[in-house]
Amino acid sequence: MQYEQQLVRTLRQQEQIMQDLQRVRELQLPDCYIGAGYIRNYIWDELHGYERRELHSDIDVVYYDATDLSEERDSQLEHELRAATGNNKWSVKNQARMHLRNGDAPYQSTEDALRYWPECVTAIAVQLDAQGQIRVCAPYGLEDLYMLVVRKSPSFVDTAYYNKRVLQKNWQEHWPKLTIVRA
């Protein structure tokens, strides 16, 4: 709970993240969050004493809606977010269909889908609820995030992909205090 409170407090101080959370809330998508590198990298920057940098390739919006699995819907939502913000980094994915791409059993929720993301530290997402409270979805907790540890998620089975991914991401060049655990 200590880390969750720290994360919420930190995010509340970041005007751009709060605006993005509000914008995503306005989409009114079910079980919807912003996650992955957009949140993770901001915290890593803070823990390294860096000013906020845009070291993320996208702003991952994830939601769960089994009633509409169309990729077209996600593309339309991305287009709307890009047009509204002028930021081309928006990526929207309905987790109700992502098991097909990933070769997993069907996911039951956004949190369940996050369990299958490659790294525990990437399987973190946040949302702004109707009351303006930040809700955290982190199936593996936040300890790795704050302890600067990168490890493979227990449910992610492709060890070779994980090892290749952490090498290609070159995270330690940007955040030298990280400890990368090879699988």
Side-chain angles (χ1 to χ4, degrees):
M1 193 56 126
Q2 161 199 344
Y3 290 132
E4 186 170 322
Q5 291 170 348
Q6 187 175 349
L7 177 64
V8 168
R9 193 171 41 251
T10 300
L11 295 178
R12 282 212 173 277
Q13 296 171 2
Q14 180 55 24
E15 183 179 344
Q16 186 62 57
I17 289 176
M18 293 304 297
Q19 287 174 0
D20 290 341
L21 286 170
Q22 185 172 352
R23 184 165 280 109
V24 168
R25 178 182 65 189
E26 291 167 0
L27 297 174
Q28 298 183 352
L29 295 168
D31 202 15
C32 185
Y33 298 84
I34 294 178
Y38 187 59
I39 303 301
R40 180 200 61 222
N41 295 1
Y42 177 69
I43 298 303
W44 282 352
D45 276 354
E46 180 184 80
L47 293 173
H48 278 77
Y50 302 150
E51 292 295 319
R52 178 155 165 73
R53 305 176 297 170
E54 296 292 325
L55 293 180
H56 55 274
S57 58
D58 49 24
I59 303 171
D60 289 295
V61 176
V62 292
Y63 68 101
Y64 189 90
D65 185 358
T67 66
D68 182 352
L69 302 180
S70 71
E71 290 184 46
E72 293 79 20
R73 179 184 187 192
D74 291 352
S75 294
Q76 178 60 36
L77 290 165
E78 286 175 7
H79 177 75
E80 289 174 23
L81 288 166
R82 290 171 180 168
T85 63
N87 186 339
N88 289 325
K89 291 186 176 187
W90 291 97
S91 172
V92 179
K93 298 286 185 281
N94 183 353
Q95 300 301 292
R97 78 159 188 283
M98 296 309 292
H99 70 284
L100 298 170
R101 181 188 79 176
N102 299 335
D104 298 322
Y107 306 137
Q108 303 304 306
S109 65
T110 300
E111 181 175 2
D112 187 39
L114 265 63
R115 291 180 196 283
Y116 292 87
W117 287 12
E119 308 88 23
C120 296
V121 74
T122 301
I124 296 169
V126 296
Q127 66 175 214
L128 191 64
D129 71 14
Q131 293 74 40
Q133 300 301 309
I134 295 176
R135 303 243 179 250
V136 177
C137 180
Y140 299 113
L142 299 172
E143 187 171 343
D144 281 358
L145 178 65
Y146 282 94
M147 300 306 292
L148 298 165
V149 173
V150 177
R151 76 180 81 241
K152 185 177 79 59
S153 298
S155 297
F156 190 78
V157 296
D158 191 342
T159 300
Y161 177 85
Y162 163 81
N163 287 325
K164 181 179 176 184
R165 175 178 155 87
V166 295
L167 276 174
Q168 288 178 336
K169 292 285 186 178
N170 207 16
W171 286 325
Q172 282 186 308
E173 180 179 314
H174 300 291
W175 298 282
K177 296 178 186 175
L178 290 177
T179 299
I180 309 255
V181 179
R182 304 275 185 236

